[in-house]
Amino acid sequence: MSTILSKIIAVSFVMVVIASGTYVLLTTNPSINLISGYPEYDISNFETYDDFNTYLQNNFESYNTNYYSPGSSFITGLRSDALDEGNQDIKATEDYDNYYSDTNIQELGVDEPDIIKTDGKYLYVISNLNLYIIYAYPAENSEIISSITFNESDRPNNLFINDDKLAVITQSYIYRIYDELDEKLMDEEKIWQDTTTTQVFIYDLSDINKPKEIQDIEIEGYYSNSRMIDDYVYIITTQYAYEPLLYIAEDSTYIPKIRVNNNEQKIGLNDIYYINSPDVSKTMTNIVSFNIKEETIDLTAEVYILGTPSTIYVSTENIFITSISNTYDYNTIYDLIIEYVLPYLPDEATNELNTLNSLTIEDYQKITISEWIIQNYVEKMDEKQRQDIARQLIMHFEKTIIHKIYINNGEIKYQSQGSVPGYVRNQFSVSEYNNNLRIATTVNGWMMRPYLTSIESYNNVYILDETLEIIGYIENIAVGEEIYSVRFLEEKCYLVTFKQIDPFFVIDLQDPTNPKILGELKIPGYSTYLHPYDQSNIIGIGQEGNNIKISLFDVEDVFNPKELSTYQVKQKTEEYYWSYSSALYEHKAFLFDRSKNLLIIPISIDYKESAYIFNITNNDISLKGIISHESENDLEDPHEPWESDYLRGDYGYSIKRSLFIENVIYTISDSMIKMNDIDNLNEINKISLI
């Protein structure tokens, strides 16, 4: 046995002894195979609820073994924030015949929830624990006509409006104390645990002055996302697969349920699926659908045990759930080392790994020791050789799994799965077009460091067919940078990467089997959100240095894109070091209407965001004016530049959304709704929400 392996085994023994006091940090996410051979994991049902519970328990034990040291008993619930989309939906309703803006959405025909909605006559506004219904137009007569106050434990966070039906989505938290998760814990070491359910309250607005609650739907798990297609609402919630076992009595059997008007409905075994993937961390993803207009709710509910969801994208026919592959399975790593690394190493390395493989120690310890063994030998390689091997391996260590779920009039059905190298940034990195899925990813590269060496990041665009098989791709885009924004528009992809400058790429997807980069523009700064102005121009919002930057790109000549116009919001004084906008990462805060040459974005230089009103044409961006919400503190005692609104308690006056009805701009914060003339920005009216 070699000296190095003897030392490693000795160290591993010490690791076993002190494991109860050691937190093991895992650093890699291996995959299985490259484009030609990513596996498709089987999807199956359970025969009994006991089998289902055994699966959850095994996952719990596996998760603790790989991510926690013995004696570490604090477990947190999954909070999936998929905020992170938009076609501006502009409407003129038959009922009110007013031209108005609606929520900025990604796909036409797929409505997205928000904290603000309008139907052209009324506003529906969530502010803190309250839902306000406001007579909005004409603005001179605007007033609150009804409101609903929710409990502190039922915080409203999103809503849909569909004719005379209103759906409000809330999260309900239940706090419990667990002080005996580990006998070694001191009495004062109380472990607070929390679980949550997502509730949907449906109201009949036939009498707009007196909303009537007609349905109360309660779904297990943390709210993740939702959509409304025609009259059907799809709610997606998530929870760690082991989490339900924490809250049931010993020797009890957990059965997933939904409550409708306090009546429990068990989810049948035929509607509970698990993906037999090697991911250590698995998540229960609950998808529930219902018709918002039906007087008697007929729910469809499916439960999928997947890897941890990262991004959710919804087209008119499918839900796509992406998950980062968290496979940290020693056998998989061992196989990859044998295939890709050992051919370049002496036989002694193979002997040491075989000896390690025979040891009776935990897998996470084998992983660490295998890293030491490989590092000892690859140090003798030149950097180029290590880079070449690392680039072959990285696609197995950084992978996104995609699950395709068919939806139609409330029906929910798992269709297929696929995988691509790298990770997606947000839902705009995914798009379905002509039955093909387009997806943009970044491979970070640093995950090879424990075994070989770091490689520079790079970016890719993949096209998958309806079975999620890769049929075309471009790889190695902007080596050394990462994706900051993506927009797929019909047969084009617009892509922004960043490290020190902002390359703006135009990519042709007309032939899905042979995508091509057509043009590239390098400019300072970066864009985090791209929005179509028309077929020939793209709007970008991002940053240059510490300033918010709005750009207008000309893409008519696809081989030679240009930045036609920019506007930067700079600090007014030396006391403020940067400007910021929630629209950088929340597309619903972005309002654009081409017919009115109108662009509105909330921007702050002092914690509190004001609405910046821009006049935008096909060749120019100019600031028209700024609308702010002022508190009594501002009006009675204007503060010094160094004294922020946040510190003064005026953050509730930060504008979150803007919309228009006819020629009136409505800006909404948690504390106020203000109405201004769209032409001269003169104030027409305002309503206090506190």
Side-chain angles (χ1 to χ4, degrees), residues 468-506:
L468 297 188
E469 292 289 333
I470 296 175
I471 58 174
Y473 58 91
I474 305 176
E475 295 179 323
N476 300 311
I477 303 170
V479 174
E481 305 193 355
E482 63 179 282
I483 290 173
Y484 268 58
S485 59
V486 185
R487 199 59 190 256
F488 291 97
L489 297 172
E490 296 183 347
E491 295 176 341
K492 295 289 191 299
C493 170
Y494 303 97
L495 183 78
V496 171
T497 63
F498 180 73
K499 185 174 183 180
Q500 293 179 332
I501 58 173
D502 172 6
F504 176 89
F505 294 93
V506 180

Side-chain angles (χ1 to χ4, degrees), residues 503-565:
F504 176 89
F505 294 93
V506 180
I507 300 174
D508 179 32
L509 307 176
Q510 185 174 10
D511 180 357
T513 64
N514 187 30
K516 299 177 181 178
I517 295 176
L518 300 179
E520 176 184 353
L521 171 67
K522 293 185 178 181
I523 52 177
Y526 59 85
S527 298
T528 61
Y529 175 68
L530 300 174
H531 192 98
Y533 177 91
D534 56 19
Q535 293 290 330
S536 302
N537 297 278
I538 301 292
I539 305 168
I541 176 173
Q543 289 185 290
E544 182 176 334
N546 293 331
N547 302 324
I548 291 294
K549 178 184 178 182
I550 302 162
S551 300
L552 181 65
F553 299 102
D554 178 358
V555 293
E556 185 172 14
D557 180 355
V558 294
F559 300 101
N560 186 32
K562 300 175 182 178
E563 188 178 45
L564 293 178
S565 180

Side-chain angles (χ1 to χ4, degrees), residues 10-24 69-71 184 364-365:
V11 173
S12 71
F13 176 75
V14 175
M15 291 174 62
V16 173
V17 172
I18 66 173
S20 61
T22 304
Y23 180 82
V24 179
S69 64
K184 297 179 182 179
Y364 75 84
Q365 294 167 320

